[in-house]
Amino acid sequence: MKIILLGPPGAGKGTQAKSISSRYSIPHISTGDIFRKNISEKTSLGIEAKNYIDNGQLVPDDLTINMIKSRLEQEDCRNGFLLDGFPRTVIQAEALDRYLKLKNESLDTALLIDVPRDFILDRMTGRRVCPSCGASYHIKYNPPMILGKCNICGSDIVQRKDDTEATVRERLDIYDSQTQPLIDYYRSKNLLSIVQGTKAINEVFESICNILGRDYNDNN
Ligand code: ADP
Ligand code: AMP
C-alpha cells in the first residue's frame, strides 16, 4: 500500500497518519517530523532547513526530494508507505513518480483530507506536539490524558514554533499557491480520494478506512 496524504496544514494528516500506519502496518513518513528531528540534532540538513520552517516557507525541493528518496530506500518501506507532508509541490510529485517508476512501482491513492480555512487557525494555534514521537494533540479537541504529557511516550508536549497565527497564515498562502495544484495533478491520474476532515477524529478515520478497505490485517 503506497499512500500519500494531502490537505492544508492543520487538516489532520499527522493525526490520521498515526492510526492509518498502525491499522495497515505501513510506515508513517512525515517530512515535517524528519526535518524537526534534524533540527533538534543540529545536522547539516537541519541547519539548512531551520529558517525556512520557522518562517513557514517550504524547504527547497532538491533538499526535500533527496531526503525523502533516502528514507524510501529503507527496509521498512518495501511493502508500502504513508507519506504525510510530501509531495508539497508539483516538482516533488513528479520526482516521486519518476522514483517509483524506476522501481516499477506506483502510488495506490492520494487521500485528500478536506478542511475549509475557517477551521484551520483554531486547530493550528491549539495544537501541541510530542517532540519525541511526533504525536499531535489539541488543547480542546484532542487533549492528552495527563495535562502536558504525551499519551504514547510520556514526554512533555510543546507548541510548535511555526504554529503562531502569522506563520500559519503564511503557510496557508503557500499551500494555496504551491500544494493545492496537486489535487488536480492526482485527480488527472485517477488517484484522488477525498474525505471530509471536519468531523470528529474517529469519524474521519472511519471514512478513511472505508476508502482504503477494511480487509487488511497485519499479515498483508
Ligand atoms: P496536519 O498534520 O495536517 O498539519 P494535525 O494532524 O497535526 O494536522 O492536526 C492539527 C490539529 O488539529 C491538532 O491539534 C489535532 O489534534 C487537531 N485535529 C486533527 N483532526 C481533528 C478533527 N477531526 N477535529 C478536531 N481537531 C482535529
Ligand atoms: P509539517 O510538519 O508537515 O507541517 O511541515 C512543517 C514544515 O516543514 C513546513 O512548513 C515546511 O517548512 C517543511 N516541509 C515539510 N514537508 C515539506 C516538503 N515536502 N517540501 C518543503 N518543505 C517541507
Side-chain angles (χ1 to χ4, degrees), residues 109-206:
T109 307
L111 189 65
L112 169 66
I113 305 181
D114 198 19
V115 175
R117 247 184 194 227
D118 42 345
F119 282 71
I120 303 271
L121 202 59
D122 184 36
R123 283 197 183 179
M124 304 279 279
T125 51
R127 170 159 66 185
R128 300 293 180 270
V129 295
C130 174
S132 303
C133 72
S136 184
Y137 299 91
H138 192 280
I139 50 174
K140 278 190 282 185
Y141 309 126
N142 184 25
M145 288 183 291
I146 300 171
L147 187 71
K149 300 279 181 197
C150 177
N151 293 345
I152 299 164
C153 68
S155 304
D156 288 339
I157 57 175
V158 297
Q159 182 163 30
R160 273 169 50 174
K161 209 170 170 179
D162 58 347
D163 276 349
T164 58
E165 186 171 336
T167 312
V168 170
R169 290 190 191 284
E170 174 71 19
R171 289 161 67 195
L172 285 170
D173 286 347
I174 289 180
Y175 175 79
D176 287 345
S177 61
Q178 309 245 52
T179 310
Q180 198 149 327
L182 294 180
I183 297 173
D184 281 338
Y185 181 91
Y186 288 111
R187 185 182 281 125
S188 72
K189 293 176 182 284
N190 279 327
L191 289 174
L192 188 71
S193 300
I194 304 178
V195 289
Q196 292 311 318
T198 47
K199 294 177 287 179
I201 291 172
N202 60 332
E203 292 176 75
V204 177
F205 184 57
E206 280 299 299

Side-chain angles (χ1 to χ4, degrees), residues 76-90:
D76 63 339
C77 295
R78 273 209 323 177
N79 294 323
F81 50 75
L82 173 63
L83 294 182
D84 160 14
F86 184 94
R88 258 176 158 102
T89 64
V90 171

Side-chain angles (χ1 to χ4, degrees), residues 12-30:
K13 300 181 297 297
T15 302
Q16 297 299 331
K18 296 272 178 223
S19 304
I20 298 169
S21 164
S22 112
R23 170 78 171 78
Y24 295 93
S25 304
I26 46 174
H28 167 205
I29 300 173
S30 154

